Amino acid sequence: MLNHKEILELRRKYLGPSLSVSYDVPLHIVRGEAQYLFDVKGNRYLDCVNNIQHVGHCHPKVVEAAQQQYEKLNTNTRYLDETIVNYAKDITSTLPAGLEVCFFTNSGSEANDLALRMTRQFTGSRETIVLDGAYHGNLSSLIEISPYKHNGPGGSGPPDFVHTIPMPDKYRGKYRGKGSGRQYVQEVQNKIAAIQDKGGMVSAFISEALMGCGGQMILPEGFLKESFTKVKKAGGVCIADEIQIGFGRMGSHFWGFESENVVPDIVTMGKSMGNGHSLSALVTTKEIADAFNNGMEYFNSFGGNPLSCAVGQAVLNVIRDEGLQAHAEHVGNYLLQKLQSLQNDHEIIGNVRGRGLFIG
């Protein structure tokens, strides 16, 4: 077995230099089980960082589903197959009425890129409104709409069709306190007006209902609902990025947008839905899906293959069978209470925020 130093040297030689490792002394992880990771020396770590293994590392039900399907069939989606249609039916059953057409992809980045393609086809416009600090993926199209990246180290800012509003941070943002939601909504309205004043039309407003890379940021009350209303009134499409927060992680709701009492036009999901297997999806309305069906076939070699859908179905089943959404709320509330008690004792802690087990 390679030692710590040898692995680092091989990484430097054969892997891209922009790929970083975590911690000053990187961990050599060799095994995962449930909520734990184990290093090469047998040390056990409680995994409070990984946001991918949604139902725990190497969950036996998920492993079994993958093994059984792999032994039977794994091919593309141009053949009739029960696995994909049953999974699509199950996914859409968790969503509000009208969100009923699935497109399967391999990563959250693919899902968000497809969402942009759809909205631009549907509206005939590229004008996109985003939140400062947001991250929506690593494809070129998504770096363009991710201030977390294009305004960070190595970034070159947004293109002229991307319009950024200040991060809706009522703790230390541009506007603060209880009534700040209305002020941030006005920022959205200002961007809509600016787009219209130059003869354009809003294409999309994309947001997480609880910002991830923005710092587990809970949005001001009413902000998302009023912003959706204004964007839709202007002819734009509202995209809910559920890649980090969906599938019950927030505890109180299965999908993050539900906590803000809104219904998006497009929902993108990924990250945790395959529990480590590469799986993501976009769900939208029939109207938008039909508009996207313009003669250019959408085909994805691996998206929605039988193996991926069998894994995804197993993850959904585990979430339900083991009551993991309620568990996230129970344990998350306990953790928040303990962190808030620490905040009372230590001035250095200025803000504790989050929902369920999505906490910062």
Side-chain angles (χ1 to χ4, degrees), residues 148-168:
Y148 179 77
K149 287 292 187 182
H150 65 231
N151 285 338
S156 55
D160 60 6
F161 56 82
V162 174
H163 309 270
T164 305
I165 74 156
M167 185 189 294

Side-chain angles (χ1 to χ4, degrees), residues 115-297:
L116 292 180
R117 283 181 58 191
M118 283 188 174
T119 58
R120 290 166 184 177
Q121 173 68 34
F122 185 70
T123 63
S125 171
R126 293 165 63 88
E127 307 291 338
T128 306
I129 299 173
V130 300
L131 306 182
D132 197 12
Y135 172 65
H136 296 292
N138 60 26
L139 300 182
S140 298
S141 63
L142 303 172
I143 298 298
E144 289 180 341
I145 66 163
S146 298
Y148 179 77
K149 287 292 187 182
H150 65 231
N151 285 338
S156 55
D160 60 6
F161 56 82
V162 174
H163 309 270
T164 305
I165 74 156
M167 185 189 294
D169 179 0
K170 59 187 177 182
Y171 169 59
R172 60 180 179 188
K174 181 178 179 180
Y175 310 111
R176 306 180 183 187
K178 229 175 183 182
S180 60
R182 292 189 298 275
Q183 294 168 297
Y184 287 113
V185 170
Q186 187 57 49
E187 293 277 355
V188 174
Q189 183 58 54
N190 292 345
K191 294 301 183 185
I192 293 171
I195 292 168
Q196 293 172 336
D197 286 347
K198 67 177 186 179
M201 176 180 173
V202 178
S203 175
F205 173 50
I206 182 169
S207 65
E208 298 170 284
L210 197 160
M211 295 184 72
C213 289
Q216 284 67 49
M217 189 67 60
I218 295 178
L219 304 177
E221 187 176 354
F223 165 75
L224 202 62
K225 186 174 181 64
E226 292 182 44
S227 296
F228 271 31
T229 298
K230 291 184 181 299
V231 169
K232 290 185 180 188
K233 186 177 179 181
V237 172
C238 293
I239 304 169
D241 182 336
E242 292 282 331
I243 291 162
Q244 290 203 64
I245 60 175
F247 293 93
R249 179 166 282 157
M250 287 175 58
S252 59
H253 299 83
F254 197 77
W255 301 108
F257 65 80
E258 293 174 310
S259 68
E260 298 296 323
N261 195 27
V262 296
V263 178
D265 303 296
I266 294 176
V267 180
T268 56
M269 52 191 76
K271 191 76 75 178
S272 59
M273 70 188 295
N275 209 54
H277 182 85
S278 188
L279 170 65
S280 62
L282 176 156
V283 182
T284 189
T285 64
K286 191 172 188 310
E287 182 184 13
I288 292 175
D290 285 347
F292 187 62
N293 186 24
N294 65 349
M296 181 188 293
E297 181 190 21

Side-chain angles (χ1 to χ4, degrees), residues 337-357:
Q337 289 168 8
K338 292 297 182 182
L339 292 172
Q340 286 160 354
S341 68
L342 286 175
Q343 181 185 7
N344 294 332
D345 295 334
H346 302 280
E347 287 186 7
I348 196 171
I349 303 176
N351 195 215
V352 175
R353 55 183 176 252
R355 288 194 176 115
L357 280 174

